[in-house]
Structures are given as C-alpha cells and as structure tokens.
C-alpha cells in the first residue's frame, strides 16, 4: 500500500479543476487534462474571446503582459528566462487574489512542451492526485515531462502534500502550486525545500490602470468594440477601488461599461464608478494572512504611540468584516502587556470601553472603541510586568518545583508549628511602614530580580520605592 492508499480526503471530491481549459496552445504542445481523462489538443476558437467574464478574457498571455511583476518575473529575469526556455522549476506562487498567480501558470504552459495538468485542492482528493501522478509516470516513461498545477495548494492536508514529495523530487512532475496563504505556515517545509517561492504583491494602481486601458481598447478580447471611453483619472479611480486585485478591477470596469451602454452613453464618469463600486468590500480573510497583518499593524501603531494610525487600522479591520470584540480583546491584552505599570488604569479604561461596546452595540459602540484606541496610543508604555512574567516562567521551567521556605509555610496546627512551619515569619502589618526587609523566593532563586521597572509614567514612582526596598534588604543581609 503506497502513501496515496493511506490518505483520506475529509470531504467528497468533485474532480480536477478546469483552470487551464483555455490556455493558448498554438503549437498543439499541451495535453491539457482537466477531467481525469486524456484530453486531445484543442482547436482554436475564434469566438472564444467574446465569451466569459472580461477578467478571464483579458488574462495575460505572455510575460510582457503580466503587469506589475516585471522586476521578479519579467522576460529578462532569471525566472523569466527559465520559463521562456522551457526550464521552469517547481514553484509556489504566493499572493493575494487577482495578482497573477494562475496567469503565470498558464504562461508557463504556453511556453512549455511538457504536458500540463491542473488540479484544485478544494475539489480534488486523493484519487485525483493519484491519477495525475500515474499519468505523469506514464508520460515520463515515454520521454515527456508533466507540469502539475495545484490551485489553492494550502488546502491539501499534510498527508496529501507528503504524497507529492517523492514525485516532485524524482522529477515525475514539475509542481506549480498557487496559494493565498503564507507558505511558511500553510505548506510543509519539505514541499518548500523542493520548490522556489515566488511572492506576488497586490498590483499597484499604475499596473491596474495599464490593464484597464488595455481592456478598454482591445477589440478582440476586451471592450474595444463597445465604443465606450474613460479618462485616465476614471481608470485610476477604478484601480483604487480594486485594492490591488486585477480580477476585481476588470470586473468593475465591465459592470460600469454595461451600465453606461444601458443608458445610451459612451463615456465613463467618476460618478458611474462610484455608483457601481459602493458595494465593493475591502480585501480581508479572517483566517488568512491579512487578518494577522492588520492586527499586527494596529498593535504596532499603538506601541508607537500613534493615535491616528491606531484608529485607522482598528476601523479598517472592522470595516473589512472582523468582529469588533476581537479588536477589543487585543486592546485588553495591549493594555496589560504594553502599557502595564506605566499606566495601571489603562486596563480599567479598556475594560470599561469593552463593557460599553457590548451594552450599546454597533454603530454607536465604535465610539468607546475609538476611546480605548486613543487612550492606549497616548498612554506611557512599559512591558516590565510582561517581561517579569516571562522571566519567572523561564526560571520555573529551569528549576522545577522548588520547596516553599519554612517561614512562608502555612501553620494551621500545633504539629506544623512544632515542625518549623511559619517560624520567623514577620508580618509587614506590624511595621510602621507596612514593609519589612524579608526574603520570599525559594532559597535556590534568592537574589533574582525578575521585575525591572521602567521610569515611564506612573511606574517611575514604583521604581523608586522598589529600588529603596531592595537596597534595604541587601543592607540587612550584609548585617
């Protein structure tokens, strides 16, 4: 029984994805298998360019057309030259939706004599994966290579990823895996060691404007035959709404042009774009990298004492669909960890704002949330309590369960007192100052000073008091 036999797919499989079904194949070099059966090379369809969404029709066909990634994947880069020479290595294509990952896979197919097969990790299970590899092994014996494109490869579980490894390592398949998730977390280290990670950034506005202008002018695949025009500032507005996503940008352009034609006009205005785009949502995935990026930006802005940035990121993450209670939980943690002893009231303020939010709800609940964000940004900062916690945890891990000193032990019975429990304990309340120079740590840890106060905010006074008491204790020990 091989590894494939031992794997189980948690959900029912619906077969291989039809991602590459319209890859240009002028030379008939590609056997594009999308259903599990061997496919015949397609014949050109002169009407194909007029069907389907604009974003699909306008997919880049060459590296030159792949806007926004020239520095890393352009025809004059090492990877670009490898693709053009049909020497493409195994790749993990990592980036947000609509940035060109699938388009690059299609370009690789168009420049290769290898057989190209595609799977969707969402729809394909162990059976489809095994069949793909078996076909690749047969092709390899016949002297033909196979490029296996796996869309959303992060959806494969560890066992399924492991099943691919020997075949990638043996050269049975050249793997192209597309993912929106950080490969460091979503993919096995063994997979990453056998593939080059290509990072796709969201497209900038200039690159999107180039794509939009090309689509508006193209008469064979785009909207050139519509007769509709748009000024550069209008295209720039669409680009801003698209948030780095080419698919979203082209979809919005297509919708706006349809609306313009429906009312008998021939020019797109900013108002047309705003009217069509007002329901657009911000890019966000609660379980994906963007969730952690936005949360990180919020915390680092507060740590940097910037109320403007703190408010921006807090509102941004909520407007994108995050639960405001998640933000408030992060603020409670920040109040204890990053403000801490510099302003002990900070956690009380945030807890009150959290309570107020839950009593009031949205939209008015955003007011106490903004109060909490602003307060934390402006508060003095200290991580001394947090660092003391980590130091104590490390000491316990290192030293184990040390015995409680006899003078600190509870002595509820005469027998325990006779055994020395509680002997020589001095009650601080019996002192005029309410404090006595005593030792309270286990003997093996005596002399450790886990808490190191800062001089920030209210902690400065606490630092003076603690320093004075530590000196008094040391002087008493010296006799």
């Amino acid at each position: 029984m091989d590894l494939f036999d031992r794997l189980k797919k948690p959900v029912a499989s619906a077969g291989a994805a039809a991602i590459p079904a319209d890859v240009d194949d002028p030379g008939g070099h590609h056997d594009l298998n999308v259903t599990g059966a061997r496919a015949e090379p397609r014949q050109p369809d002169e009407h194909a360019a007029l069907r389907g969404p604009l974003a699909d029709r306008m997919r880049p066909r060459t590296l030159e057309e792949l806007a926004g990634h020239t520095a890393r994947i352009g025809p004059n880069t090492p990877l670009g030259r490898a693709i053009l020479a049909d020497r493409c290595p195994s790749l993990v294509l990592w980036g947000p939706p609509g940035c060109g990952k699938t388009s690059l896979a299609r370009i690789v197919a168009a420049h290769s004599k290898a057989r190209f097969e595609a799977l969707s990790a969402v729809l394909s299970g162990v059976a489809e994966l095994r069949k793909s590899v078996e076909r690749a092994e047969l092709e390899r014996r016949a002297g033909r290579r196979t490029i296996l494109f796996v869309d959303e490869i992060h959806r494969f579980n560890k066992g399924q990823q492991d099943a691919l490894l020997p075949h990638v390592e043996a050269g049975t398949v050249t793997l192209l895996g597309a993912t929106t998730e950080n490969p460091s977390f979503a993919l096995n280290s063994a997979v990453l060691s056998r593939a080059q990670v290509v990072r796709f950034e969201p497209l900038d506005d200039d690159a999107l404007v180039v794509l939009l202008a090309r689509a508006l002018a193209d008469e064979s695949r785009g909207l050139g035959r519509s007769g509709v025009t748009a000024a550069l500032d209008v295209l720039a507005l669409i680009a801003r709404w698209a948030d780095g996503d080419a698919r979203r940008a082209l979809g919005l352009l297509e919708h706006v042009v349809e609306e313009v034609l429906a009312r008998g006009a021939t020019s797109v205005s900013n108002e047309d774009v705003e009217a069509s785009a007002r329901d657009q949502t911000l890019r966000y995935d609660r379980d994906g990298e963007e969730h952690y990026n936005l949360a990180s930006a919020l915390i680092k802005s507060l740590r940097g004492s910037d109320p403007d940035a703190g408010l921006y990121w807090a509102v941004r993450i909520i407007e994108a669909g995050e639960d405001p209670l998640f933000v408030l939980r992060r603020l409670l943690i920040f109040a204890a960890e990053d403000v801490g002893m510099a302003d002990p009231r900070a956690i009380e303020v945030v807890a009150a704002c959290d309570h107020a939010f839950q009593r009031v709800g949205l939209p008015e609940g955003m007011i106490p949330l903004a109060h909490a964000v602003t307060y934390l940004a402006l508060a003095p900062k200290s991580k001394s309590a947090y660092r003391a916690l980590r130091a104590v945890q490390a000491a316990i891990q290192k030293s184990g369960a040390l015995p409680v000193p006899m003078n600190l032990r509870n002595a509820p019975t005469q027998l325990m007192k006779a055994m020395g429990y509680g002997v020589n304990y001095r009650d601080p309340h019996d002192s005029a100052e309410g404090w006595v120079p005593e030792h309270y740590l286990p003997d093996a840890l005596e002399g450790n000073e886990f808490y190191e106060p800062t001089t920030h905010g209210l902690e400065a006074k606490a630092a003076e008091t603690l320093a004075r008491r530590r000196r008094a204790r040391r002087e008493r020990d010296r006799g």
Side-chain angles (χ1 to χ4, degrees), residues 35 79 98 471:
T35 64
L79 179 56
R471 282 196 303 271

Side-chain angles (χ1 to χ4, degrees), residues 20-282:
D22 60 346
V23 176
D24 294 316
D25 188 19
H29 294 308
H30 305 290
D31 180 5
L32 300 180
N33 191 300
V34 297
T35 64
R38 189 177 178 89
E40 295 299 326
R42 293 182 298 101
Q43 297 301 317
D45 183 353
E46 62 181 359
H47 302 293
L50 302 179
R51 298 198 299 265
L54 178 65
D56 194 56
R57 304 198 309 265
M58 291 302 300
R59 281 191 184 277
R61 297 166 296 183
T62 65
L63 291 176
E64 289 83 359
E65 290 184 1
L66 192 65
H69 306 296
T70 304
R72 181 169 295 189
I73 321 171
N76 295 320
T77 64
L79 179 56
R81 288 192 292 271
I83 292 172
L84 295 177
D86 196 7
R87 295 184 287 100
C88 183
S90 289
L91 303 175
V92 172
L93 312 176
W94 168 36
C99 64
K101 303 184 297 296
T102 301
S103 294
L104 179 62
R106 294 183 175 190
I107 291 170
V108 170
H111 287 89
S112 177
K113 294 182 179 180
R115 176 176 165 277
F116 189 92
E117 185 164 343
L119 293 174
S120 168
V122 175
L123 301 176
S124 302
V126 176
E128 289 77 20
L129 190 56
R130 168 191 266 171
K131 289 176 182 177
S132 294
V133 170
E134 288 175 349
R135 285 191 293 270
E137 288 175 342
L138 290 174
E139 293 290 337
R140 187 185 183 196
R141 291 173 194 150
R144 194 179 189 194
R145 296 176 293 117
T146 296
I147 296 175
L148 179 62
F149 175 59
V150 181
D151 194 26
E152 298 197 67
I153 191 173
H154 59 275
R155 302 279 188 174
F156 273 164
N157 60 38
K158 182 180 185 298
Q160 289 166 313
Q161 292 181 33
D162 286 343
L164 277 171
L165 290 179
H167 307 289
V168 174
E169 194 168 47
T172 305
V173 297
T174 297
L175 176 66
L176 300 182
T179 177
T180 56
E181 302 298 324
N182 189 325
S184 300
F185 307 124
L187 299 182
N188 297 351
S189 58
V191 172
L192 294 179
S193 70
R194 291 161 175 80
Q196 177 181 337
V197 176
V198 181
R199 179 71 165 106
F200 284 74
E201 298 292 343
L203 298 177
D204 59 31
D205 288 357
D206 290 342
L208 289 174
V209 167
V210 170
L211 294 177
L212 292 167
R214 182 187 300 159
L216 201 56
D218 193 311
E219 294 186 359
S220 62
R221 296 188 297 155
L223 302 171
R225 297 183 187 180
S226 69
V228 175
T229 62
L232 282 179
D233 65 303
V234 175
L235 298 183
L237 179 60
I238 295 176
R240 288 196 294 275
W241 273 106
D243 196 23
D245 186 330
R247 188 181 298 109
R248 178 182 290 183
L250 292 168
L252 180 55
L253 175 64
E254 186 173 27
H255 179 66
V256 171
V257 169
E258 289 173 352
E259 293 296 315
V260 168
L261 290 173
R263 69 166 192 267
T266 59
S267 179
V268 179
S269 67
N270 286 335
E271 291 73 19
D272 295 323
V273 175
E274 295 285 356
S276 296
R278 62 170 57 105
D279 292 330
Q280 294 277 326
T281 57
L282 296 172

Side-chain angles (χ1 to χ4, degrees), residues 326-449:
F326 165 80
V327 176
L328 285 162
R329 286 194 296 271
R330 298 305 308 174
L331 297 182
L332 282 166
I333 296 169
F334 184 90
E337 178 180 342
D338 287 272
V339 176
M341 292 295 293
D343 184 355
R345 288 199 63 232
I347 196 166
E348 299 176 15
V349 171
V350 178
C353 291
D354 176 53
H355 179 71
F357 178 91
Q358 297 190 55
R359 286 290 303 274
V360 174
L362 290 172
E364 290 86 353
M366 290 296 292
I367 301 171
L369 188 146
H371 177 169
V373 169
T374 306
Y375 189 97
L376 292 176
L378 296 176
K381 309 297 190 295
S382 171
K383 294 194 73 166
S384 59
Y386 172 81
R387 288 170 176 158
L389 168 66
R390 294 303 187 211
V392 169
Q393 289 173 329
I396 292 173
Q397 288 294 320
K398 182 178 180 180
S399 59
L402 297 173
V404 177
M406 294 298 289
N407 65 320
L408 300 183
R409 296 188 183 188
N410 185 33
T413 68
Q414 288 299 321
L415 176 61
M416 289 179 166
K417 290 178 182 178
M419 294 175 66
Y421 282 44
V423 173
N424 297 325
Y425 171 71
R426 293 188 294 166
D427 191 338
H429 292 294
D430 296 336
S431 169
E433 293 185 26
W435 177 83
V436 294
E438 186 61 87
H439 293 290
Y440 298 98
L441 282 170
D443 294 341
L445 294 179
E446 198 54 61
N448 281 273
E449 296 180 354

